[in-house]
Amino acid sequence: MSDKMRETSIGSVCSCKADTHGSQMVAENCNWDLEADVVVLGSGGAAMTAAIAAHDFGARDVVILEKSGMVGGTTAMSGGMLWIPGNHHQVEAGIEENDEDIVAYLDAMAPGQLDADTLMAFMESGPEMIRYFADKTPVRFHAFADFPDYQPYLPGAKPDGGRSLDNDAFSFERLGKWAARVNPTKMAYPVRGSLMEAITGSLDDATLAEREARDYRGLGQALAGSLYLAVIERGIPVEFEKRARKLIKDGNRVTGVIAQDASGNDFRVRARRGVVIATGGFEWNEKLVQTFLRGPLTGPVSVPENEGDGLLMAINAGAQLGNMQHAFWQQSVLEFKPQHRNAKPNYLLGSDERARPGAILVNKYGKRFVNEAANYNAMGKALHAFDAGRHEYANLPYWLIIDQRYKDKYPTFGAMPSAPLPSFIMKADTLEELAEMAGIDAQGLNATVVRFNEMVRRGKDEDFHRGENTYDNYYMWGDMDFEPPYRTLGVIDQGPFYAVKMESGALGTAGGPKTNENAQVIDWDGNPIQGLYAAGNAMAAVLGEGYGGAGGTLGPGMTFGYIAGRHLGQHIPNT
């Protein structure tokens, strides 16, 4: 890093001793390894947003502690979209918005779960954040005007889109040597345009060649890369391989953090103004998952560093918890190659294949159980339906079923139609043979496919109403060669047939320490824990179990990162 990026005040104040809990530290005469106005834990979208805002609004001395050797977290692997109602791109596109519709929609998705103060903070500060990024940073968004809200049939929804923002493609040439520090995408190859450009195929060969030469990337790569450039331009240092483990308190105030370096040695950092927990969720911590979540989570698609470090620190600091039973659900598939940087399993996203014509999802009894074109977060809850008579989760395990017609037309988990399918996909000449291979009831599967084909030919899914709303027929998921409902409905009758065992996955967990409208973590009496803030998937989701649309995690997460940084910069003096 440049000398400017390494500038920090190294001080000697006191040695830290453990309190009676052993995991939370009390500052007494500490010897600090590093001091800063603001210490941000994590380097995903919410974390980098918090660091940028804290710096720009007055906390000039900011440092980021990153557990791994890379920045970007799950943001860098994601689609990179932000769900921000009332953003200026939406307004400039002539898409009307009002607070009543926003509240009606969010309340319908998460009835009884919304806090008025934090909800208003999201609605007011989200558009402000987007405008600030446009004016002050390399981060660039544009309206994805026709991308529908995920529950377009609910009151207050925008079935024709406007609330979800897409990233402009970003050249990683601008990062120089720091480009190698950005978490890679999970895709087989970089997307050289925005999501809208990729879906619509609007880039010509010459533009694609130029973008490839300058290493342009879209989606979450664009978002993480442009945020990281903003961090670099401000001289905000990132301390890599520093896993935050313990908060340090002076009385009732958080004054610093103890991290562990790659060798397991303590690294003590003083925070004159405060600490922002933005370490992601706890989906890779089996004990926390089993303790809190509403049902099985077997295939997280986030970075494996998300082990609940921030949650455990917040609990020990006396934080009130919220939304702990929920996650941002996503269907996934186990790929046998290990994920980058470690030997943990790698799970692929499973949201596209199931929604195309000629695909269904079935449980072990061979029965369909859901509208396969529904949004991934809502579908995840269907996997936790419990059969009291059999005393089991009725829809776990479950499989994707497709036929040769499907395979010949559509990409399948990264394999193009002309390429061999991945080894985890099972193949058989008949449905009966496929069922035996997968462990599915053959009679049930055959009856399900017969009924499904009959309903497709009639043009109506009488069981689950697939293809009857805007989202189901959206061109990102469906096939634009057909008219609704056939953009998502198609028969399964051409052998050989294929089955893929699916996982109950998640983009991240949605529970954590509760915050107030300033992103300050609150205790069980509702009072702010001085010097402690949270943002992103490390905090209790401000929208409860609701997932408004594309960017339903990143939008609120980055908004509260912005709120935390702004409050630390404007309102909190150095201690």
Side-chain angles (χ1 to χ4, degrees):
M1 290 187 178
S2 67
D3 291 340
K4 182 180 180 184
M5 291 185 72
R6 294 294 309 170
E7 283 178 5
T8 48
S9 358
I10 306 233
S12 55
V13 184
C14 53
S15 68
C16 305
K17 74 173 185 179
D19 69 1
T20 55
H21 297 290
S23 56
Q24 182 177 303
M25 306 302 289
V26 179
E28 277 193 356
N29 295 306
C30 281
N31 292 316
W32 303 101
D33 296 295
L34 193 66
E35 293 190 28
D37 291 348
V38 175
V39 179
V40 178
L41 310 181
S43 69
M48 288 195 282
T49 300
I52 293 164
H55 174 277
D56 288 7
F57 283 101
R60 297 297 176 181
D61 193 0
V62 181
V63 65
I64 294 172
L65 302 187
E66 167 51 44
K67 179 178 181 177
S68 73
M70 312 284 281
V71 302
T74 304
T75 299
M77 297 178 168
S78 73
M81 296 184 74
L82 271 65
W83 192 80
I84 302 288
N87 65 80
H88 70 275
H89 298 289
Q90 176 185 352
V91 174
E92 290 168 0
I95 302 170
E96 295 183 359
E97 188 64 276
N98 64 73
D99 289 351
E100 290 77 13
D101 282 349
I102 299 170
V103 173
Y105 180 55
L106 294 174
D107 191 52
M109 284 192 295
Q113 299 176 30
L114 305 180
D115 172 79
D117 292 337
T118 52
L119 176 60
M120 186 57 66
F122 167 63
M123 291 167 58
E124 291 179 347
S125 296
E128 178 186 325
M129 172 196 65
I130 299 300
R131 174 66 74 180
Y132 189 87
F133 277 146
D135 293 342
K136 303 292 185 181
T137 76
V139 180
R140 293 291 180 271
F141 296 105
H142 54 265
F144 205 143
D146 60 351
F147 204 120
D149 283 345
Y150 277 4
Q151 283 85 24
Y153 42 82
L154 290 180
K158 290 286 184 190
D160 298 319
R163 292 168 173 164
S164 290
L165 295 172
D166 188 16
N167 294 272
D168 289 3
F170 174 77
S171 172
F172 269 53
E173 265 191 354
R174 299 173 66 183
L175 289 170
K177 63 181 180 180
W178 302 114
R181 284 287 194 178
V182 178
N183 245 348
T185 177
K186 277 197 172 188
M187 303 188 72
Y189 51 86
V191 175
R192 299 301 182 186
S194 68
L195 182 61
M196 186 163 61
E197 290 171 331
I199 291 174
T200 58
S202 59
L203 296 177
D204 57 39
D205 291 342
T207 302
L208 281 171
E210 180 185 354
R211 290 192 176 181
E212 185 166 354
R214 297 188 57 194
D215 197 10
Y216 270 85
R217 305 183 197 179
L219 288 71
Q221 290 284 288
L223 180 55
S226 56
L227 283 169
Y228 191 30
L229 181 57
V231 167
I232 293 170
E233 289 175 342
R234 285 158 174 78
I236 299 172
V238 179
E239 292 286 344
F240 292 102
E241 308 288 350
K242 300 294 190 299
R243 181 179 186 177
R245 300 305 297 263
K246 303 170 184 177
L247 294 172
I248 302 171
K249 295 186 77 174
D250 187 355
N252 195 37
R253 182 181 186 87
V254 172
T255 59
V257 64
I258 296 181
Q260 288 181 339
D261 64 18
S263 300
N265 299 316
D266 284 352
F267 184 78
R268 295 174 170 84
V269 186
R270 183 187 183 195
R272 303 186 195 97
R273 299 193 182 196
V275 173
V276 182
I277 295 175
T279 52
F282 57 85
E283 59 274 9
W284 285 91
N285 186 316
E286 185 177 352
K287 183 181 292 185
L288 293 176
V289 164
Q290 292 178 348
T291 299
F292 289 114
L293 290 186
R294 58 177 281 160
L297 193 169
T298 60
V301 297
S302 60
V303 289
E305 290 82 17
N306 292 352
E307 297 174 289
D309 296 349
L311 171 63
L312 295 174
M313 286 186 284
I315 289 172
N316 283 312
Q320 182 181 158
L321 304 181
N323 213 46
M324 295 302 296
Q325 70 272 40
H326 296 300
F328 301 116
W329 302 105
Q330 169 67 272
Q331 297 67 60
S332 62
V333 174
L334 175 61
E335 187 183 37
F336 295 105
K337 291 185 293 185
Q339 196 161 341
H340 63 283
R341 302 193 311 276
N342 55 53
K344 289 189 177 180
N346 186 37
Y347 295 94
L348 303 176
L349 292 172
S351 57
D352 292 1
E353 286 78 6
R354 59 180 169 76
R356 298 187 185 118
I360 58 172
L361 296 175
V362 299
N363 59 25
K364 63 183 176 182
Y365 301 106
K367 295 182 178 180
R368 289 178 69 217
F369 56 90
V370 74
N371 169 5
E372 292 89 350
N375 80 81
Y376 41 84
N377 184 56
M379 182 177 291
K381 299 168 189 177
L383 298 176
H384 297 147
F386 194 76
D387 186 332
R390 292 189 172 102
H391 201 78
E392 64 181 13
Y393 288 102
N395 303 319
L396 288 173
Y398 71 114
W399 290 263
L400 173 77
I401 305 296
I402 60 175
D403 68 357
Q404 188 64 36
R405 181 189 289 107
Y406 181 108
K407 193 268 180 191
D408 289 342
K409 185 170 186 179
Y410 304 117
T412 308
F413 299 108
M416 300 305 290
S418 59
L421 287 172
S423 60
F424 56 78
I425 299 181
M426 294 168 274
K427 175 182 177 182
D429 291 332
T430 67
L431 286 171
E432 290 77 11
E433 292 171 340
L434 186 69
E436 182 177 356
M437 185 182 300
I440 304 170
D441 181 84
Q443 186 175 354
L445 177 60
N446 189 68
T448 292
V449 171
V450 168
R451 174 166 173 75
F452 181 73
N453 289 343
E454 290 172 349
M455 292 190 296
V456 170
R457 294 185 180 104
R458 292 196 295 269
K460 185 174 180 62
D461 177 6
E462 296 159 3
D463 293 340
F464 298 103
H465 306 285
R466 178 173 167 184
E468 295 181 14
N469 66 66
T470 307
Y471 181 85
D472 289 6
N473 291 290
Y474 188 58
Y475 58 77
M476 183 172 178
W477 323 112
D479 188 333
M480 291 296 287
D481 287 348
F482 306 105
E483 293 299 316
Y486 294 108
R487 288 179 182 170
T488 185
L489 290 180
V491 295
I492 302 171
D493 63 357
Q494 188 178 108
F497 301 92
Y498 303 85
V500 183
K501 186 177 183 296
M502 306 288 287
E503 303 290 336
S504 173
L507 302 170
T509 48
K514 292 195 73 172
T515 65
N516 62 15
E517 67 275 15
N518 297 317
Q520 294 172 291
V521 175
I522 60 175
D523 63 21
W524 286 100
D525 293 321
N527 300 314
I529 299 174
Q530 298 301 315
L532 188 60
Y533 295 72
N537 288 359
M539 68 176 276
V542 66
L543 304 185
E545 65 178 306
Y547 200 107
T553 56
L554 276 172
M558 289 176 59
T559 297
F560 270 77
Y562 177 80
I563 291 170
R566 183 183 62 191
H567 194 259
L568 280 160
Q570 289 182 334
H571 301 291
I572 307 300
N574 287 342
T575 56

